[in-house]
Amino acid sequence: MAVETTPLLDPYRFCPRCGSERFVGNNAQSKRCLSCGLEYYVNPRAAVVALITDEAGNILVCRRAKEPAQGTLDLPGGFTDLNETAEEAVAREVLEETSLTVTRCRYLFSLQNRYLYSGVVIPTMDLFFACEVADFSPLSAHDDVAAVRFLPRAEIKPELFGLASVRKGIARILEENF
Ligand SMILES: [Zn+2]
């Protein structure tokens, strides 16, 4: 008997293992294949966000080059790859997007998000890290970042950040003075 599942599973109509159409609700977060028995869960994907501050406490802010939320403000970050830790992922994303090398990072907090990618809503678990950088001289914008600069905390408005979790995260960073 089919049960009600999260709409996040709606785009997945066929069993990803055997291709059967007999792919039905199993519980709120999973579907089950009646042909081969596969149980397929939808879980948040891990993503990382970097808080980088200079000696004066200004925060490194990016402008998004691509959709979703193209042109809005953002913090460096992205999805974790296979076979890397969250700490490795945040250092890799910071290097790819800003050319800066992270020397140390410290976990701050996590926030859930929904991210529209290639027409599918992907649930994410965004892990925020405070990252230390020894040398800011290589700073430049690359990858999915159009521009990057340090902004004084007093000039940062959370509503200018396009991604919901980063908007909430930057508000919390300012509020709690991380
Ligand atoms: Zn199957």
Side-chain angles (χ1 to χ4, degrees):
M1 193 183 73
V3 297
E4 191 80 3
T5 59
T6 169
L8 292 171
L9 281 165
D10 290 352
Y12 307 103
R13 289 173 42 222
F14 303 100
C15 171
R17 181 159 66 188
C18 76
S20 171
E21 288 178 40
R22 300 170 66 218
F23 195 48
V24 299
N26 184 45
N27 60 34
Q29 296 181 69
S30 74
K31 290 178 96 170
R32 186 163 48 92
C33 177
L34 299 177
S35 300
C36 77
L38 179 78
E39 285 188 20
Y40 184 84
Y41 275 78
V42 63
N43 302 105
R45 297 189 195 173
V48 291
V49 183
L51 168 65
I52 299 172
T53 51
D54 66 10
E55 314 77 51
N58 303 313
I59 295 175
L60 189 70
V61 170
C62 304
R63 194 167 290 283
R64 296 180 59 81
K66 297 177 189 168
E67 294 297 346
Q70 185 177 8
T72 65
L73 297 185
D74 200 2
L75 295 176
F79 287 103
T80 60
D81 280 346
L82 292 175
N83 306 318
E84 72 179 356
T85 64
E87 290 84 353
E88 288 165 348
V90 78
R92 175 182 52 74
E93 288 285 351
V94 168
L95 183 64
E96 285 173 3
E97 295 181 346
T98 69
S99 295
L100 298 178
T101 300
V102 172
T103 51
R104 272 181 68 187
C105 69
R106 180 171 57 90
Y107 173 72
L108 297 176
F109 56 84
S110 66
L111 290 170
Q112 296 180 56
N113 202 4
R114 300 274 162 102
Y115 191 85
L116 184 67
Y117 189 77
S118 62
V120 176
V121 177
I122 295 168
T124 71
M125 181 63 72
D126 295 351
L127 310 170
F128 285 71
F129 288 90
C131 296
E132 289 179 21
V133 171
D135 177 14
F136 288 112
S137 59
L139 181 61
S140 48
H142 305 279
D143 204 21
D144 44 6
V145 169
V148 64
R149 61 176 291 213
F150 280 99
L151 277 182
R153 287 174 187 250
E155 288 179 22
I156 296 179
K157 295 183 175 60
E159 61 268 27
L160 299 177
F161 288 72
L163 300 180
S165 68
V166 179
R167 185 159 61 240
K168 274 186 231 161
I170 194 78
R172 182 161 169 186
I173 286 163
L174 296 173
E175 215 172 272
E176 299 188 24
N177 206 20
F178 279 114

